[in-house]
Structure formats: C-alpha cells, structure tokens
Amino acid sequence: MKRAPTHSYPGLNLGRRHASADKASEVVTFGFWVFLMSDLVYFGLMFAIYITMIDAQAGGPGPHELFDLKSIFAQTLILLTSSLTVGLAMLALKYNLPRWRIVFWFFVTLVLGLSFLVLEIRDFMSMAAKGGIPQRSGFLSAFYGLVPLHGLHVTAGCIWLIVLGIQLRIFGLTDLLMSRVVRLALFWHFLDLIWIGIITIVYFGGLTYG
Amino acid sequence: MDKRSEMHRRERRRYVIGYGGSLLLTFAVFGIAYRYGIETKGVYLAISLLGLAQLIVQLVYFLHIDRRRSSREDLDLILFSTMVLLIIILGTVWIMGNLAVRMHTFPM
C-alpha cells in the first residue's frame, strides 16, 4: 500500500516509525511555528525601520564605506550549508541511523554556526574601526538593531545545539528530545530565511539606495 | 527495509536539491552584483527577485511547506504573517517617505 507520507506540522515530520514522538510533536511544533511567525513580524519591524533610515546617515560612514561583500558572501554560504547539515541531522533521526550520526551533524552545524558568528563579529569590528558605531547615525542605529538581532538568534541556536547534543548523548532518543530536534531544525531553517532578507534588504538595498 | 531506504534517499535528495538551488541563486545574486555593480535600480530589482525565489526554494525544500492539504494551516499562517508584515513595512515606508518629502529632507 502506497500512501503519501503524513504531514502534520511544518518541517520534516518524524513519520510513523516514531509514531508517539510524531504525535507529541504535532501541537508543540505548531505552537513553535506561531512563535517563529511572530518573531518574523518583529524582524519585519526592524526591516521597516532600516528602510526608512537608509538616508539618515548624518554625514557618517555609509554602506559603501562599511559593507564588505566578500565577507557577506562567505557568511551566506556558511549559513546555507548549516541549513543542509541540520536537515541531515533530522534525516538521521527519522531513519534511525546510529545516534552518533545525529550528534555528528549537530557538531558540523555548530561549527558552521560559530564560524558564521566569528565572521559577523569581525565585520562589526572593522565597521567600528571605520567609525561605524550605533550612535553615529540613525542609519547605523537601525543597522545594529537588525543584523546583530539575527546574530543573537544564531547564538541562541548554537547554545540550543550544544544543550540538545549533550541531552541526546545522556538520555538517548526519547520522544521529548526527538520533538525538540524537530523544532531546532525549524528554528535553524527560519534563521536562514531571515538572513536572505538581510542580504537582500540591508546589504544590497543599502548599497543601492544608501 | 528496502522501501524505507528508498524513502530516505528521496527525502535526502529533497534537501540536496534545495541546497543546490539555494547555492545557485546565491551565486547568481553575488555574480550579478560583482559583474554589474550595485548602483542601478534594475540590478537591484533582479537581486530582490532572486532573493524572493530563494525564500520560496527554502520554504519548499527545507521547511516542507507546500499546498498539500495537510500543511495548509502552516501555509495560512505564513500568508497571514506576510500580510501583517507587508502592511507594517509598506505603511511605514509610505508614511515616512511622504513625511520626508514634505519636510524637504528627501529629494524627489
């Protein structure tokens, strides 16, 4: 009998093999999705402020002096790859691969997330060295309100990866932990979506209109 | 057992396709920016359309959102949030832009 896989919450579903964890994930994952969507609205507000502040440079350094597209390109590739690896961790969980495979993909995702943060902080430091600090202009305040907010989310995701990786090693694949992996993967993919908004609006938009 | 590994392969391929598509779009965006510069509005239009395409690729291949009945609620929620976002963003840009023009701080 061939049936399409059931799909009862966003992201990759655990499926019938993990029926009880799948059932346990249904409501909480939808709730988590509601949280992500309200987080999206928050990011949207920051984007709106940034767009209205693009011209408010008050004679300070603007996008052309401050933005380093090479570094942004590297960050984009890193974050994109980490979205794939977190997906591979989900697949390892769903198809009962050995537990070290899940922890391995978690580890790769963590390393990529941390490298992303290192590059981002290096960018902020070189911006600050050129006089691009938050209190310099409305444009820079809006920039530092938005981009580090995303960085903060990535940091939270990294802490979550570490904690969940340790929990998986100690407690094994309980229903609760499996359902947490589902939400972590969702969170991580969501951050990638926000980052696409950031490169398109903050960086390219800033360079075009700033 | 066999059917299961086939499912596994199929779902893994879905992630790899999503990754490849996003990678391609990322290279296209930065390639355009590098080749044509980022000064003109036409180039920016192309970049934003590619960004939009990338959002859709990731929603479908990574977040598994599509028009299937079972994921309809999730899609509804995205569409509703997008509507709220558009009202907020377009409204803000409209009002603040209008204000800037009236205050003569923004050249028409």
Side-chain angles (χ1 to χ4, degrees), chain A residues 7 9-13 33 83 186 189-190 192-193 196, chain B residues 10-19 21-22 25 51-68 71 74-75 78:
Chain A
H7 192 91
Y9 45 89
L12 183 71
N13 282 201
W33 188 248
S83 223
L186 215 51
H189 292 317
F190 171 75
D192 211 11
L193 291 179
I196 296 166
Chain B
R10 208 183 323 149
E11 292 205 304
R12 195 173 49 199
R13 199 168 56 211
R14 190 174 175 159
Y15 275 102
V16 173
I17 290 172
Y19 180 63
S22 299
L25 287 165
L52 201 63
Q54 172 139 220
L55 283 182
I56 293 167
V57 166
Q58 296 206 2
L59 275 173
V60 172
Y61 287 96
F62 288 163
L63 287 151
H64 299 76
I65 302 288
D66 49 34
R67 295 197 312 272
R68 255 179 314 170
S71 57
D74 310 326
L75 185 62
I78 293 179

Short mmCIF file of all heavy atoms in Angstrom, two decimals, chain A residues 7 9-13 33 83 186 189-190 192-193 196, chain B residues 10-19 21-22 25 51-68 71 74-75 78:
data_model
loop_
_atom_site.label_atom_id
_atom_site.label_comp_id
_atom_site.label_asym_id
_atom_site.label_seq_id
_atom_site.Cartn_x
_atom_site.Cartn_y
_atom_site.Cartn_z
N HIS A 7 1.74 14.49 6.96
CA HIS A 7 2.46 15.73 7.22
C HIS A 7 1.59 16.55 8.16
O HIS A 7 0.59 17.10 7.75
CB HIS A 7 2.67 16.47 5.90
CG HIS A 7 3.64 17.59 6.00
ND1 HIS A 7 4.97 17.42 5.78
CD2 HIS A 7 3.47 18.89 6.32
CE1 HIS A 7 5.59 18.58 5.96
NE2 HIS A 7 4.70 19.48 6.28
N TYR A 9 2.89 18.80 10.74
CA TYR A 9 3.46 20.05 11.26
C TYR A 9 4.57 20.49 10.30
O TYR A 9 5.06 19.69 9.51
CB TYR A 9 4.01 19.87 12.68
CG TYR A 9 4.82 18.63 12.90
CD1 TYR A 9 6.17 18.62 12.68
CD2 TYR A 9 4.21 17.46 13.35
CE1 TYR A 9 6.93 17.48 12.89
CE2 TYR A 9 4.96 16.31 13.56
CZ TYR A 9 6.31 16.33 13.33
OH TYR A 9 7.05 15.20 13.53
N PRO A 10 4.96 21.80 10.36
CA PRO A 10 5.96 22.28 9.42
C PRO A 10 7.31 21.60 9.61
O PRO A 10 7.62 21.12 10.70
CB PRO A 10 6.05 23.78 9.72
CG PRO A 10 5.43 23.97 11.04
CD PRO A 10 4.43 22.88 11.20
N GLY A 11 8.11 21.57 8.57
CA GLY A 11 9.41 20.91 8.62
C GLY A 11 9.28 19.44 8.31
O GLY A 11 8.20 18.94 8.03
N LEU A 12 10.41 18.73 8.35
CA LEU A 12 10.40 17.29 8.11
C LEU A 12 9.69 16.60 9.27
O LEU A 12 10.01 16.84 10.43
CB LEU A 12 11.84 16.78 8.00
CG LEU A 12 12.02 15.31 7.67
CD1 LEU A 12 11.61 15.03 6.24
CD2 LEU A 12 13.45 14.88 7.90
N ASN A 13 8.70 15.74 8.95
CA ASN A 13 7.99 15.04 10.02
C ASN A 13 8.69 13.74 10.39
O ASN A 13 9.37 13.13 9.56
CB ASN A 13 6.55 14.74 9.58
CG ASN A 13 5.66 15.97 9.66
OD1 ASN A 13 4.45 15.87 9.72
ND2 ASN A 13 6.26 17.15 9.69
N TRP A 33 5.81 27.18 15.58
CA TRP A 33 5.65 27.87 14.29
C TRP A 33 4.98 29.22 14.49
O TRP A 33 5.36 30.22 13.85
CB TRP A 33 4.85 26.97 13.35
CG TRP A 33 4.77 27.45 11.95
CD1 TRP A 33 3.68 27.90 11.30
CD2 TRP A 33 5.85 27.52 11.01
NE1 TRP A 33 3.99 28.26 10.01
CE2 TRP A 33 5.32 28.04 9.81
CE3 TRP A 33 7.21 27.22 11.07
CZ2 TRP A 33 6.10 28.25 8.68
CZ3 TRP A 33 7.98 27.43 9.94
CH2 TRP A 33 7.42 27.93 8.78
N SER A 83 22.25 24.95 7.12
CA SER A 83 20.83 24.59 6.99
C SER A 83 20.72 23.18 6.42
O SER A 83 19.83 22.41 6.80
CB SER A 83 20.14 25.58 6.06
OG SER A 83 18.89 25.96 6.57
N LEU A 186 13.68 23.47 12.61
CA LEU A 186 12.78 24.50 12.11
C LEU A 186 13.35 25.90 12.38
O LEU A 186 13.35 26.78 11.51
CB LEU A 186 11.44 24.34 12.82
CG LEU A 186 10.16 24.63 12.06
CD1 LEU A 186 10.16 23.88 10.75
CD2 LEU A 186 8.97 24.23 12.90
N HIS A 189 16.36 26.64 10.06
CA HIS A 189 15.95 26.97 8.70
C HIS A 189 15.36 28.38 8.66
O HIS A 189 15.59 29.13 7.71
CB HIS A 189 14.90 25.98 8.19
CG HIS A 189 15.43 24.60 7.96
ND1 HIS A 189 16.64 24.37 7.37
CD2 HIS A 189 14.91 23.39 8.25
CE1 HIS A 189 16.84 23.06 7.30
NE2 HIS A 189 15.81 22.45 7.83
N PHE A 190 14.61 28.74 9.69
CA PHE A 190 13.99 30.06 9.78
C PHE A 190 15.07 31.16 9.78
O PHE A 190 14.93 32.18 9.11
CB PHE A 190 13.13 30.13 11.05
CG PHE A 190 12.60 31.50 11.38
CD1 PHE A 190 11.55 32.04 10.67
CD2 PHE A 190 13.15 32.22 12.41
CE1 PHE A 190 11.07 33.30 10.98
CE2 PHE A 190 12.67 33.48 12.74
CZ PHE A 190 11.62 34.02 12.02
N ASP A 192 17.91 31.05 8.40
CA ASP A 192 18.43 31.16 7.05
C ASP A 192 17.52 32.05 6.20
O ASP A 192 17.99 32.86 5.41
CB ASP A 192 18.54 29.76 6.45
CG ASP A 192 19.67 29.67 5.45
OD1 ASP A 192 20.47 30.60 5.39
OD2 ASP A 192 19.75 28.65 4.74
N LEU A 193 16.20 31.90 6.40
CA LEU A 193 15.26 32.74 5.66
C LEU A 193 15.46 34.22 6.01
O LEU A 193 15.47 35.08 5.13
CB LEU A 193 13.81 32.35 5.99
CG LEU A 193 13.32 30.99 5.50
CD1 LEU A 193 11.89 30.77 5.95
CD2 LEU A 193 13.39 30.92 3.99
N ILE A 196 18.46 35.72 4.30
CA ILE A 196 18.24 36.10 2.90
C ILE A 196 17.63 37.49 2.84
O ILE A 196 18.02 38.33 2.03
CB ILE A 196 17.34 35.07 2.19
CG1 ILE A 196 18.04 33.72 2.15
CG2 ILE A 196 17.02 35.52 0.76
CD1 ILE A 196 17.12 32.61 1.77
N ARG B 10 15.02 9.49 -1.07
CA ARG B 10 14.20 10.51 -1.70
C ARG B 10 14.17 11.79 -0.87
O ARG B 10 14.27 12.90 -1.39
CB ARG B 10 12.77 9.98 -1.88
CG ARG B 10 12.09 10.64 -3.06
CD ARG B 10 10.65 10.23 -3.25
NE ARG B 10 10.38 8.84 -2.95
CZ ARG B 10 9.20 8.42 -2.48
NH1 ARG B 10 8.23 9.27 -2.22
NH2 ARG B 10 8.99 7.14 -2.25
N GLU B 11 14.05 11.62 0.46
CA GLU B 11 13.97 12.82 1.30
C GLU B 11 15.32 13.52 1.39
O GLU B 11 15.38 14.73 1.49
CB GLU B 11 13.46 12.45 2.70
CG GLU B 11 12.01 12.01 2.62
CD GLU B 11 11.28 12.21 3.91
OE1 GLU B 11 11.71 11.69 4.96
OE2 GLU B 11 10.25 12.89 3.88
N ARG B 12 16.41 12.71 1.33
CA ARG B 12 17.73 13.33 1.36
C ARG B 12 17.94 14.12 0.07
O ARG B 12 18.50 15.21 0.08
CB ARG B 12 18.81 12.27 1.53
CG ARG B 12 20.15 12.87 1.92
CD ARG B 12 21.15 11.80 2.26
NE ARG B 12 21.17 10.79 1.22
CZ ARG B 12 21.67 9.56 1.39
NH1 ARG B 12 22.16 9.20 2.55
NH2 ARG B 12 21.68 8.70 0.41
N ARG B 13 17.44 13.54 -1.05
CA ARG B 13 17.60 14.23 -2.32
C ARG B 13 16.87 15.58 -2.28
O ARG B 13 17.34 16.56 -2.84
CB ARG B 13 17.05 13.36 -3.45
CG ARG B 13 17.59 13.80 -4.81
CD ARG B 13 17.30 12.80 -5.87
NE ARG B 13 15.88 12.53 -5.96
CZ ARG B 13 15.36 11.36 -6.33
NH1 ARG B 13 16.14 10.37 -6.64
NH2 ARG B 13 14.06 11.19 -6.39
N ARG B 14 15.73 15.60 -1.58
CA ARG B 14 14.97 16.84 -1.47
C ARG B 14 15.81 17.95 -0.81
O ARG B 14 15.84 19.08 -1.27
CB ARG B 14 13.72 16.57 -0.65
CG ARG B 14 12.75 17.72 -0.70
CD ARG B 14 11.46 17.38 0.00
NE ARG B 14 10.63 18.58 0.01
CZ ARG B 14 9.33 18.59 0.16
NH1 ARG B 14 8.69 17.46 0.33
NH2 ARG B 14 8.66 19.71 0.17
N TYR B 15 16.51 17.57 0.27
CA TYR B 15 17.37 18.56 0.92
C TYR B 15 18.51 18.99 0.01
O TYR B 15 18.85 20.17 -0.07
CB TYR B 15 17.96 17.98 2.22
CG TYR B 15 17.05 18.13 3.41
CD1 TYR B 15 16.30 17.06 3.88
CD2 TYR B 15 16.94 19.35 4.06
CE1 TYR B 15 15.46 17.20 4.95
CE2 TYR B 15 16.10 19.50 5.15
CZ TYR B 15 15.37 18.42 5.60
OH TYR B 15 14.54 18.56 6.66
N VAL B 16 19.10 18.00 -0.70
CA VAL B 16 20.24 18.34 -1.56
C VAL B 16 19.80 19.23 -2.71
O VAL B 16 20.50 20.18 -3.07
CB VAL B 16 20.93 17.05 -2.07
CG1 VAL B 16 22.00 17.37 -3.09
CG2 VAL B 16 21.53 16.29 -0.90
N ILE B 17 18.60 18.96 -3.27
CA ILE B 17 18.07 19.82 -4.34
C ILE B 17 17.87 21.24 -3.81
O ILE B 17 18.26 22.22 -4.44
CB ILE B 17 16.73 19.27 -4.89
CG1 ILE B 17 16.98 17.99 -5.68
CG2 ILE B 17 16.05 20.30 -5.79
CD1 ILE B 17 15.70 17.28 -6.10
N GLY B 18 17.28 21.35 -2.62
CA GLY B 18 17.07 22.66 -2.01
C GLY B 18 18.38 23.39 -1.81
O GLY B 18 18.49 24.59 -2.08
N TYR B 19 19.38 22.64 -1.34
CA TYR B 19 20.70 23.23 -1.10
C TYR B 19 21.32 23.70 -2.41
O TYR B 19 21.80 24.83 -2.51
CB TYR B 19 21.59 22.20 -0.41
CG TYR B 19 22.98 22.69 -0.11
CD1 TYR B 19 23.19 23.74 0.76
CD2 TYR B 19 24.09 22.09 -0.71
CE1 TYR B 19 24.46 24.19 1.04
CE2 TYR B 19 25.36 22.52 -0.43
CZ TYR B 19 25.55 23.57 0.44
OH TYR B 19 26.81 24.02 0.71
N GLY B 21 19.78 24.43 -5.23
CA GLY B 21 19.03 25.55 -5.76
C GLY B 21 19.40 26.84 -5.06
O GLY B 21 19.64 27.87 -5.71
N SER B 22 19.49 26.79 -3.72
CA SER B 22 19.84 27.99 -2.96
C SER B 22 21.24 28.45 -3.29
O SER B 22 21.51 29.64 -3.43
CB SER B 22 19.75 27.72 -1.46
OG SER B 22 18.46 27.37 -1.11
N LEU B 25 21.23 30.19 -6.62
CA LEU B 25 20.65 31.52 -6.54
C LEU B 25 21.60 32.49 -5.83
O LEU B 25 21.71 33.66 -6.21
CB LEU B 25 19.30 31.46 -5.82
CG LEU B 25 18.18 30.84 -6.64
CD1 LEU B 25 16.99 30.48 -5.76
CD2 LEU B 25 17.74 31.79 -7.73
N GLY B 51 16.28 36.89 -4.61
CA GLY B 51 16.13 36.67 -3.17
C GLY B 51 14.77 36.06 -2.85
O GLY B 51 14.67 35.13 -2.05
N LEU B 52 13.74 36.57 -3.51
CA LEU B 52 12.39 36.04 -3.31
C LEU B 52 12.32 34.58 -3.75
O LEU B 52 11.74 33.72 -3.06
CB LEU B 52 11.41 36.89 -4.14
CG LEU B 52 9.95 36.85 -3.71
CD1 LEU B 52 9.80 37.40 -2.32
CD2 LEU B 52 9.10 37.66 -4.69
N ALA B 53 12.96 34.29 -4.90
CA ALA B 53 12.98 32.91 -5.39
C ALA B 53 13.67 32.00 -4.36
O ALA B 53 13.23 30.88 -4.09
CB ALA B 53 13.71 32.85 -6.73
N GLN B 54 14.75 32.51 -3.77
CA GLN B 54 15.47 31.71 -2.78
C GLN B 54 14.62 31.42 -1.54
O GLN B 54 14.65 30.32 -1.00
CB GLN B 54 16.77 32.41 -2.40
CG GLN B 54 17.47 31.76 -1.26
CD GLN B 54 18.97 31.69 -1.41
OE1 GLN B 54 19.55 30.70 -1.06
NE2 GLN B 54 19.61 32.72 -1.89
N LEU B 55 13.84 32.45 -1.12
CA LEU B 55 12.92 32.24 0.01
C LEU B 55 11.96 31.09 -0.29
O LEU B 55 11.73 30.22 0.55
CB LEU B 55 12.11 33.51 0.28
CG LEU B 55 12.78 34.66 1.01
CD1 LEU B 55 11.79 35.79 1.22
CD2 LEU B 55 13.33 34.20 2.34
N ILE B 56 11.42 31.10 -1.51
CA ILE B 56 10.44 30.07 -1.87
C ILE B 56 11.11 28.69 -1.93
O ILE B 56 10.58 27.71 -1.41
CB ILE B 56 9.75 30.43 -3.20
CG1 ILE B 56 8.90 31.68 -2.98
CG2 ILE B 56 8.90 29.30 -3.70
CD1 ILE B 56 8.40 32.34 -4.23
N VAL B 57 12.31 28.63 -2.53
CA VAL B 57 13.03 27.35 -2.60
C VAL B 57 13.23 26.78 -1.20
O VAL B 57 12.98 25.60 -0.93
CB VAL B 57 14.39 27.54 -3.32
CG1 VAL B 57 15.29 26.33 -3.11
CG2 VAL B 57 14.18 27.77 -4.80
N GLN B 58 13.66 27.64 -0.27
CA GLN B 58 13.94 27.14 1.08
C GLN B 58 12.67 26.75 1.82
O GLN B 58 12.66 25.78 2.57
CB GLN B 58 14.73 28.18 1.87
CG GLN B 58 16.08 28.41 1.25
CD GLN B 58 17.11 28.88 2.24
OE1 GLN B 58 16.83 29.02 3.41
NE2 GLN B 58 18.31 29.14 1.77
N LEU B 59 11.59 27.52 1.61
CA LEU B 59 10.33 27.17 2.25
C LEU B 59 9.86 25.79 1.79
O LEU B 59 9.39 24.98 2.58
CB LEU B 59 9.25 28.21 1.93
CG LEU B 59 9.21 29.44 2.83
CD1 LEU B 59 8.23 30.45 2.29
CD2 LEU B 59 8.81 29.05 4.25
N VAL B 60 10.00 25.52 0.50
CA VAL B 60 9.50 24.26 -0.04
C VAL B 60 10.43 23.10 0.31
O VAL B 60 9.99 22.07 0.82
CB VAL B 60 9.33 24.37 -1.57
CG1 VAL B 60 9.01 23.01 -2.17
CG2 VAL B 60 8.22 25.36 -1.91
N TYR B 61 11.75 23.28 0.10
CA TYR B 61 12.65 22.13 0.23
C TYR B 61 13.17 21.91 1.64
O TYR B 61 13.46 20.79 2.02
CB TYR B 61 13.81 22.26 -0.76
CG TYR B 61 13.37 22.02 -2.17
CD1 TYR B 61 13.05 23.09 -3.01
CD2 TYR B 61 13.24 20.73 -2.67
CE1 TYR B 61 12.62 22.87 -4.30
CE2 TYR B 61 12.81 20.50 -3.96
CZ TYR B 61 12.50 21.58 -4.77
OH TYR B 61 12.07 21.35 -6.04
N PHE B 62 13.31 22.97 2.43
CA PHE B 62 13.82 22.81 3.79
C PHE B 62 12.67 22.74 4.81
O PHE B 62 12.67 21.91 5.70
CB PHE B 62 14.77 23.95 4.17
CG PHE B 62 16.09 23.90 3.47
CD1 PHE B 62 16.91 25.02 3.42
CD2 PHE B 62 16.54 22.74 2.87
CE1 PHE B 62 18.14 24.99 2.78
CE2 PHE B 62 17.78 22.68 2.22
CZ PHE B 62 18.57 23.81 2.18
N LEU B 63 11.71 23.65 4.68
CA LEU B 63 10.64 23.70 5.68
C LEU B 63 9.43 22.86 5.27
O LEU B 63 8.47 22.74 6.01
CB LEU B 63 10.22 25.15 5.92
CG LEU B 63 11.26 25.94 6.71
CD1 LEU B 63 11.23 27.40 6.35
CD2 LEU B 63 11.02 25.79 8.20
N HIS B 64 9.50 22.28 4.06
CA HIS B 64 8.45 21.36 3.60
C HIS B 64 7.07 22.00 3.63
O HIS B 64 6.09 21.37 4.02
CB HIS B 64 8.44 20.08 4.43
CG HIS B 64 9.71 19.31 4.34
ND1 HIS B 64 10.85 19.68 5.01
CD2 HIS B 64 10.04 18.20 3.65
CE1 HIS B 64 11.81 18.83 4.74
NE2 HIS B 64 11.37 17.92 3.92
N ILE B 65 6.99 23.27 3.26
CA ILE B 65 5.69 23.93 3.16
C ILE B 65 5.25 23.87 1.70
O ILE B 65 6.00 24.26 0.81
CB ILE B 65 5.80 25.42 3.56
CG1 ILE B 65 6.33 25.57 4.98
CG2 ILE B 65 4.48 26.13 3.40
CD1 ILE B 65 5.40 25.18 6.05
N ASP B 66 4.09 23.34 1.46
CA ASP B 66 3.57 23.39 0.09
C ASP B 66 2.05 23.48 0.16
O ASP B 66 1.47 23.73 1.21
CB ASP B 66 4.04 22.20 -0.74
CG ASP B 66 3.83 20.90 -0.02
OD1 ASP B 66 2.83 20.80 0.72
OD2 ASP B 66 4.64 19.97 -0.17
N ARG B 67 1.39 23.26 -0.98
CA ARG B 67 -0.05 23.48 -0.99
C ARG B 67 -0.84 22.23 -0.62
O ARG B 67 -2.05 22.20 -0.76
CB ARG B 67 -0.47 23.98 -2.37
CG ARG B 67 0.12 25.35 -2.69
CD ARG B 67 -0.63 25.98 -3.84
NE ARG B 67 -0.76 25.04 -4.94
CZ ARG B 67 0.13 24.87 -5.91
NH1 ARG B 67 1.20 25.61 -5.91
NH2 ARG B 67 -0.06 23.99 -6.86
N ARG B 68 -0.14 21.18 -0.14
CA ARG B 68 -0.87 19.98 0.27
C ARG B 68 -1.83 20.32 1.40
O ARG B 68 -1.53 21.16 2.24
CB ARG B 68 0.10 18.90 0.76
CG ARG B 68 0.26 17.78 -0.26
CD ARG B 68 1.24 16.78 0.27
NE ARG B 68 2.41 17.46 0.82
CZ ARG B 68 3.34 16.82 1.52
NH1 ARG B 68 3.22 15.55 1.77
NH2 ARG B 68 4.38 17.46 1.97
N SER B 71 -0.60 20.54 5.08
CA SER B 71 0.24 21.63 5.59
C SER B 71 -0.41 22.98 5.31
O SER B 71 0.24 24.00 5.35
CB SER B 71 1.64 21.57 4.97
OG SER B 71 1.57 21.62 3.59
N ASP B 74 -0.17 25.68 8.15
CA ASP B 74 1.13 26.33 8.26
C ASP B 74 1.27 27.39 7.18
O ASP B 74 1.76 28.50 7.43
CB ASP B 74 2.25 25.31 8.12
CG ASP B 74 2.04 24.12 9.04
OD1 ASP B 74 1.50 24.35 10.14
OD2 ASP B 74 2.38 22.99 8.66
N LEU B 75 0.82 27.04 5.97
CA LEU B 75 0.89 27.99 4.86
C LEU B 75 0.01 29.20 5.14
O LEU B 75 0.40 30.34 4.92
CB LEU B 75 0.47 27.29 3.56
CG LEU B 75 0.61 28.13 2.29
CD1 LEU B 75 2.06 28.49 2.05
CD2 LEU B 75 0.07 27.37 1.09
N ILE B 78 1.76 31.49 7.43
CA ILE B 78 2.81 32.26 6.74
C ILE B 78 2.18 33.39 5.95
O ILE B 78 2.64 34.54 6.01
CB ILE B 78 3.61 31.38 5.76
CG1 ILE B 78 4.41 30.34 6.52
CG2 ILE B 78 4.55 32.21 4.92
CD1 ILE B 78 5.19 29.45 5.61
#
